[in-house]
Amino acid sequence: MRLRSIVSPRALRLPLFAGLVLAVAACHRAPRGRLAPRPLPSTQALIPAPLGLRVVSSDSFIITDSTRIVIAADAAPDVERLAGQLSAMLAPATSVGGVSRLAPGEAPPPRSISLQVAPDTLGDEGYTLSADGNGVVIRAGATHGLFNGTQTLRQLLPVSVEHRAAVRRVLVVPAVQVTDRPRYAWRGAMLDVARHFLPADDVKRYIDAMALFKLNRLHLHLSDDQGWRIEITSWPNLARTGGRTQVGGMAGGYYTQAQYADLVAYAAERFITVVPEIDMPGHTNAALASYPELNCDDVAPPLYTGIKVGFSALCASRDTVYRFIDDVVREISALTPGAYFHMGGDEVEKLGHEEYLRFVERVEGIVRAHGKRAIGWGEIAAARLDPSSVVQHWRPARNGKPSDSSHVHAARGGQVILSPGNRTYIDMKYDSSTTLCLGWAGLFDVRYAYEWDPETVTPGVSGRSLLGIEAPLWSETLERRTDFEYLAFPRLIALAEVGWSPQSAGNWKNFRDRLGSNAPRLSAVGINFHRSRDIPWREQ
Ligand code: ACM
């Protein structure tokens, strides 16, 4: 996150404004002048790269207005919903004939798109996709796998599939056999909606883009010194007061519980689990400003709009604080069907080490009592955690030496999510000409985000203890949706492939060409992506 800033909040406002002006000149750099090559055929441009792909013949399948999407007679409601989503994706140009249930024992008719759930060895998210002149069959052991198959089908189709209003588009599916499954169970993205608030509709657009690249966890950083962003009915001032501002002093915002529940449902329809984070005991100025009793001296500090870190802490010796935490965890957990609650725990300077550890252990107990698996930033690994809890490693290891106790957690049977700042903090500048964003973990472009092996990041964390990877996007300098997207894309796409595809598939030159070929699709879905210099963008 977080620069230990020597810049005063007052001084910050000018650079932010100047940054916006310069962003137009530097961040949004025009593509280079030479004639761009044509995109690769869709079978060679899939991201993330599937485990196995074979082009079987030149006999492609054209989706027409008589194509039916078929599901089994006894298909579960979520399969029917998925078939409806697929029909909506294909329908505007071709009037695809909707979704039909087959009669018991009936085989899929010729020239249909068939979604089939059948036991396999590819796990919940794996699938096979077979396409030839006679139609498409997507088969998976679970609905999530079927969904992943539909996203591959989407990428196999011409980019016109993204243009809902296109007329006369010809949806050609090349003849292929795909067998696919992810490398890691956790392929996450984090949005910091606390430093700058991001309205729910903008979060939905981020979710849409995540789904296209098979990311499956959206971690929402819902509170920090600068803002509290979710309504808590038992402590209403958190949102009303703590949500009032944001970095730079502009008006902030928060999600009502109904809006948050709607976001969670929207993500779930795209097989993305929302992971709520309430950061504590530090990064809590917005809460401390809302309720004096959370402070040891009973004095509420003013709201904070700068970007320093480490100066705030809940009063860890007070029972009121744990009642507060219990209420917050209870209300948010009731709105969140996913298995996880993120308790933050990073960058705490105002508590003694022992006091910090006891706090972490007590809050972990509260989270577990509300039926969730606790997650926390790397610092919490020093506490006596339950093996069911998850540590999110973020400080890059130096010279092969661990930067936190993730390895201790792994040794006690726990799991770790990797978010090393120098590879995954996609709020870092791309290069010295990037005017938005920070640079404390290093400047890095797409290649650096792509070329690493999670198994070797931090000693003692590999194999079963490695749950997956996540790309945090901290928003100290990001004010609007287009800023968030500009920093995330295309690095988030590189990280989606690191999390999904086998390490052996990781060939930079090949990835670079596939990414370049996806430019028309990124443009079609309206993502404001950075045209990194090291990518041969193919614009048509
Ligand atoms: C962090 O960046 N402080 C988790």
Side-chain angles (χ1 to χ4, degrees), residues 1-2 190 195 221 277 279 283 309 346-347 377-379 392 394-395 425 440 472 474:
M1 196 152 6
R2 323 241 184 132
M190 189 210 81
R195 269 44 178 283
H221 183 74
E277 178 187 354
D279 203 348
H283 291 281
V309 299
D346 57 321
E347 295 179 307
W377 296 106
E379 289 92 323
Q392 185 164 10
W394 66 278
R395 287 185 202 274
Y425 270 32
W440 65 266
W474 301 103

Side-chain angles (χ1 to χ4, degrees), residues 71-395:
I71 58 176
D74 59 352
D78 61 345
V79 175
E80 180 159 17
R81 184 178 46 73
L82 177 58
Q85 280 175 259
L86 179 60
S87 173
M89 178 175 93
L90 302 174
T94 55
S95 312
V96 174
V99 178
S100 321
R101 279 185 187 265
L102 299 172
E106 187 190 356
R111 312 196 60 71
S112 60
I113 302 173
S114 172
L115 302 183
Q116 303 175 6
V117 178
D120 64 22
T121 54
L122 296 171
D124 278 1
E125 291 201 64
Y127 65 94
T128 58
L129 184 155
S130 316
D132 59 23
N134 205 30
V136 180
V137 178
I138 302 175
R139 193 172 289 138
T143 321
H144 195 167
L146 282 184
F147 175 78
N148 289 330
T150 64
Q151 296 310 302
T152 297
L153 175 60
R154 180 178 171 190
Q155 288 194 17
L156 286 170
L157 286 164
V159 77
S160 62
V161 73
E162 308 297 345
H163 292 293
R164 297 289 187 264
V167 285
R168 283 196 234 286
R169 60 183 182 174
V170 182
L171 297 183
V172 186
V173 190
V176 284
Q177 294 276 0
V178 179
T179 303
D180 205 7
R181 68 180 302 168
R183 181 180 188 188
Y184 294 114
W186 190 287
R187 303 176 310 283
M190 189 210 81
L191 286 174
D192 171 8
V193 295
R195 269 44 178 283
H196 281 100
F197 179 63
L198 200 59
D201 282 348
D202 293 345
V203 177
K204 286 182 178 175
R205 287 190 55 146
Y206 205 73
I207 290 172
D208 289 341
M210 287 173 64
L212 176 57
F213 298 103
K214 303 188 177 82
L215 291 161
N216 66 357
R217 301 282 186 269
L218 175 64
H219 167 180
L220 289 176
H221 183 74
L222 289 166
S223 69
D224 211 302
D225 290 318
Q226 299 84 350
W228 185 283
R229 305 297 180 208
I230 182 165
E231 175 190 24
I232 302 294
T233 56
S234 53
W235 296 75
N237 291 351
L238 290 169
R240 258 190 238 143
T241 303
R244 200 179 287 155
T245 58
Q246 55 184 346
V247 168
M250 280 89 68
Y254 63 89
Y255 309 120
T256 63
Q257 293 204 349
Q259 285 171 329
Y260 175 79
D262 178 58
L263 265 183
V264 168
Y266 187 88
E269 282 172 12
R270 289 149 186 81
F271 291 84
I272 292 171
T273 302
V274 169
V275 180
E277 178 187 354
I278 297 298
D279 203 348
M280 57 189 144
H283 291 281
T284 40
N285 193 77
L288 298 171
S290 306
Y291 286 99
E293 61 268 42
L294 302 178
N295 299 269
C296 286
D297 60 3
D298 283 312
V299 177
L303 292 167
Y304 180 68
T305 59
I307 61 169
K308 289 184 187 166
V309 299
F311 62 90
S312 59
L314 296 169
C315 187
S317 55
R318 282 202 167 180
D319 284 342
T320 319
V321 163
Y322 297 96
R323 273 201 300 280
F324 155 79
I325 294 169
D326 190 73
D327 287 337
V328 168
V329 176
R330 175 175 44 74
E331 288 198 31
I332 295 177
S333 296
L335 296 165
T336 312
Y340 306 93
F341 187 97
H342 201 303
M343 56 186 279
D346 57 321
E347 295 179 307
V348 180
E349 295 176 11
K350 292 285 161 165
L351 299 185
H353 189 56
E354 280 307 311
E355 198 180 17
Y356 169 76
L357 297 181
R358 298 298 84 77
F359 176 90
V360 167
E361 288 158 13
R362 196 160 164 185
V363 175
E364 183 203 47
I366 293 173
V367 171
R368 296 185 66 215
H370 289 290
K372 300 296 182 193
R373 281 179 79 176
I375 308 181
W377 296 106
E379 289 92 323
I380 74 161
R384 282 189 304 261
L385 297 177
D386 189 87
S388 68
S389 296
V390 177
V391 169
Q392 185 164 10
H393 166 87
W394 66 278
R395 287 185 202 274

